[in-house]
Amino acid sequence: MNHPSFILRNERVREFRIVESDTLNYTLKLALDDEGRPQYFFRNIFTPVCYTNECKPVYINFYWDLLGNYMRYDLPENKVLTKVDHDEFKEEDYQKLQDILAQPNSIFAELKMEDLIAKGTEDLTDSVDVKAGATLKTIKNQVIDGAVYTCYTLWQIAYGKAVPEMRKIIESYTDDKLLHSFLTSNNFHYQYWAMEKVVDQDGNVSKSFEPDLQQIISGKNIFTAKYALQHVNNRFFESKARQLWLWESYQKAAYPLQITILKKLANIPLTSPLADNLKAALPNANQEQTALINQILAKN
C-alpha cells in the first residue's frame, strides 16, 4: 500500500490522500489544535451501499483517535441513513449503529458480504451459521433490520486499511510533547503505545518521562498501572523517595494492584523506611499479603 501523501494544510486540518487500490482512493483528515498539534483523524465518507438490485449513496463522517481507534460517527447536514425499503433510520437505529461500529471484535471481521445475505433477498441465510460459527440470533443482534449491508460496509471502513495509515502518519508527529500527552491521557491505547516508546527493552525509563510513569502506576486504571509496574526496571524503585511514593500508592491501590506491587518489591533492595512500613502493615494483612511481605523482608 502506498504511503499517505500530504496534500494541503490550513490552520486546523491536514489532508492525506490514501490510495488503497487502482479504483479506491480517498482523503483522510487530521484535525489540529491552534498550535498545530494533532487531535484526531476524521473522514467525510461517501460510499455506495449496493443491495442485490440497487445501490444507494451513504454520506457519513467517521472519527478516530490518533492511533486509528474508531470513536464515533455523525451525519452531514440534511443527510439521513435509510434501509432497503427506503424507510429512514429511527433514533434507536442510529444508536444501534454506534454500538455496532464500537465493536472492534465484531463478527463482521470474519465474514464476507456474500456470507450475510442470500442471493436476491435480504434474508439472513443458514450459511452464516456455518461460516461464522455463530447463530442466526447472534447475527441479528449485530445488524439493523433492513440495513445489513450498510452495517457491514461501514464497519469495514471503521476498521479497514485506513487504520495502519493513521499509525504511519502519527509516527511522523511523535516527539516528547506528544509522548507526554499520550502518557498522561485518559486513553489507555495512547498510554500503552507511549510506554513502549519511553521504556526500553531492559525496562529503563527516559528521565523526563519518569513522572508520567509514576502517574500511571498510581492512577485509576489498574491494567495500565500493572503493565507499567511489570515493565519498568527494578532500579526505578531503588531510591528512598521513590519507595515512599510507592508505599503511598500501595495504600491507595486496589487489591490486585497491591499484590503486583508486593511481587515487584520482592526483587528490590528495601530502604529502611519501606521495610518499617511493610512490618507495620503485617497485623492487618491477609494471608496472600502476609506471605509476600514476609518473603520481601526475608530477602532484605
Side-chain angles (χ1 to χ4, degrees):
M1 193 188 299
N2 296 351
H3 274 266
S5 59
F6 166 61
I7 320 172
L8 99 98
R9 172 168 196 159
N10 64 26
E11 293 82 56
R12 299 295 178 82
V13 177
R14 258 185 105 168
E15 297 191 351
F16 299 85
R17 173 69 67 202
I18 308 294
V19 180
E20 278 193 11
S21 66
D22 293 343
T23 53
L24 179 61
N25 64 70
Y26 54 84
T27 300
L28 181 65
K29 298 179 182 183
L30 175 59
L32 306 165
D33 67 10
D34 293 343
E35 294 174 13
R37 309 293 304 173
Q39 301 300 299
Y40 57 88
F41 286 100
F42 66 104
R43 237 183 100 184
N44 310 118
I45 295 162
F46 159 72
T47 185
V49 172
C50 299
Y51 289 82
T52 40
N53 51 0
E54 63 170 326
C55 291
K56 57 180 181 172
V58 169
Y59 295 91
I60 193 167
N61 305 316
F62 274 10
Y63 301 84
W64 293 267
D65 75 11
L66 293 171
L67 295 177
N69 298 295
Y70 169 83
M71 297 192 299
R72 64 184 179 88
Y73 77 87
D74 61 27
L75 297 179
E77 211 174 333
N78 302 325
K79 298 291 180 191
V80 296
L81 296 178
T82 58
K83 302 182 183 182
V84 73
D85 50 12
H86 300 290
D87 277 355
E88 290 186 7
F89 270 39
K90 298 187 180 76
E91 188 51 48
E92 59 265 29
D93 297 323
Y94 286 114
Q95 183 53 56
K96 187 166 186 181
L97 179 62
Q98 173 59 14
D99 296 342
I100 290 165
L101 294 175
Q103 294 174 34
N105 303 318
S106 165
I107 199 154
F108 291 148
E110 303 158 33
L111 297 177
K112 294 189 175 69
M113 184 78 91
E114 54 269 27
D115 298 338
L116 283 173
I117 310 291
K119 243 190 173 125
T121 75
E122 230 238 334
D123 292 337
L124 296 164
T125 67
D126 288 337
S127 68
V128 173
D129 219 22
V130 178
K131 291 198 183 185
T135 62
L136 289 174
K137 196 172 169 207
T138 306
I139 295 282
K140 282 193 168 159
N141 287 339
Q142 296 197 20
V143 293
I144 293 162
D145 258 358
V148 179
Y149 276 1
T150 302
C151 297
Y152 178 85
T153 303
L154 294 179
W155 188 90
Q156 294 292 341
I157 293 172
Y159 294 91
K161 291 180 179 172
V163 174
E165 298 297 343
M166 295 180 222
R167 290 195 164 225
K168 279 183 210 164
I169 292 165
I170 210 60
E171 285 287 350
S172 69
Y173 275 92
T174 302
D175 58 13
D176 283 5
K177 196 166 181 182
L178 184 86
L179 289 168
H180 282 303
S181 73
F182 272 26
L183 289 166
T184 54
S185 160
N186 292 325
N187 181 332
F188 64 88
H189 298 292
Y190 287 180
Q191 291 182 312
Y192 285 123
W193 186 86
M195 280 193 274
E196 282 187 14
K197 303 263 185 208
V198 305
V199 181
D200 72 14
Q201 278 182 312
D202 299 323
N204 300 308
V205 182
S206 311
K207 193 84 184 149
S208 67
F209 295 106
E210 288 182 358
D212 298 344
L213 266 292
Q214 285 188 221
Q215 197 176 316
I216 289 172
I217 290 167
S218 59
K220 288 193 175 122
N221 185 327
I222 189 168
F223 300 104
T224 50
K226 282 175 87 166
Y227 181 92
L229 271 167
Q230 287 160 350
H231 284 78
V232 166
N233 192 298
N234 292 343
R235 285 192 300 277
F236 187 82
F237 301 102
E238 283 180 358
S239 75
K240 187 174 170 181
R242 195 64 58 72
Q243 290 196 2
L244 282 171
W245 159 79
L246 189 60
W247 183 248
E248 281 172 22
S249 302
Y250 173 88
Q251 290 177 300
K252 293 178 203 157
Y255 182 73
L257 189 59
Q258 288 187 332
I259 298 304
T260 306
I261 290 172
L262 292 175
K263 285 177 178 171
K264 188 75 177 179
L265 286 173
N267 302 306
I268 294 166
L270 295 190
T271 59
S272 51
L274 182 55
D276 293 342
N277 283 328
L278 284 164
K279 282 176 201 157
L282 276 170
N284 296 316
N286 70 13
Q287 199 177 352
E288 187 178 20
Q289 290 165 323
T290 301
L292 287 166
I293 291 170
N294 283 330
Q295 197 183 335
I296 298 163
L297 293 171
K299 276 192 179 177
N300 282 268

